[in-house]
Amino acid sequence: MKYPWIDDFLKGMNGVTSDFKEEWNWDRYMIDGKMFAAVCRNDQGEEKLISMKLEPLEGDFLRQQYKDIIPGYYMNKIHWNSVMADGDVPDELLKDMLEKSYALIFAKLPKKRQKQLLGEG
């Protein structure tokens, strides 16, 4: 995979847990059980796609800019986007996309829980 840093990057965010969903062949990254990113693997266990949630207009814009960003694989195609794991999306852009996905889910948590995850409460 072109993005070997992704697992450490995602697990380094406040409150993130991960699991492997065997039926789907996905590594899922969640905040309080709500998924914000997934690394989808092929039958050989190799990374195929990285999926994340974005604001619909931003996702649409990025899909028009990069051929390796597609509508979410097996996800809601309006809110989710997938990046080809061997594609040409710059690391910094993918990191930005993943951070925005995290922020979208984090913002939906109760304020008290947000403070706990940030170490403020």
Side-chain angles (χ1 to χ4, degrees), residues 80-99:
W80 286 83
N81 299 273
S82 295
V83 172
M84 305 299 280
D86 60 354
D88 291 323
V89 174
D91 286 23
E92 290 308 312
L93 175 58
L94 180 56
K95 286 179 181 178
D96 183 61
M97 294 168 70
L98 292 166
E99 287 171 343

Side-chain angles (χ1 to χ4, degrees), residues 22-119:
E22 193 170 342
E23 311 83 89
W24 302 348
N25 218 19
W26 286 13
D27 291 307
R28 301 183 308 167
Y29 298 86
M30 298 164 282
I31 313 166
D32 276 9
K34 295 172 179 32
M35 187 171 71
F36 73 94
V39 175
C40 313
R41 301 177 178 278
N42 63 20
D43 291 339
Q44 291 74 41
E46 302 163 330
E47 294 87 353
K48 177 180 170 184
L49 296 165
I50 301 129
S51 295
M52 76 286 306
K53 190 172 191 175
L54 293 173
E55 291 290 344
L57 290 176
E58 182 171 17
D60 185 55
F61 174 78
L62 291 170
R63 288 193 301 267
Q64 291 177 38
Q65 304 303 309
Y66 294 90
K67 66 176 177 51
D68 294 321
I69 301 177
I70 61 173
Y73 179 71
Y74 277 103
M75 305 293 280
N76 178 308
K77 308 272 187 250
I78 295 171
H79 296 279
W80 286 83
N81 299 273
S82 295
V83 172
M84 305 299 280
D86 60 354
D88 291 323
V89 174
D91 286 23
E92 290 308 312
L93 175 58
L94 180 56
K95 286 179 181 178
D96 183 61
M97 294 168 70
L98 292 166
E99 287 171 343
K100 286 178 178 174
S101 182
Y102 174 90
L104 283 171
I105 301 304
F106 187 87
K108 292 181 181 180
L109 298 175
K111 298 294 181 205
K112 181 178 179 181
R113 183 63 180 139
Q114 289 178 15
K115 287 182 178 185
Q116 290 172 338
L117 291 173
L118 296 172

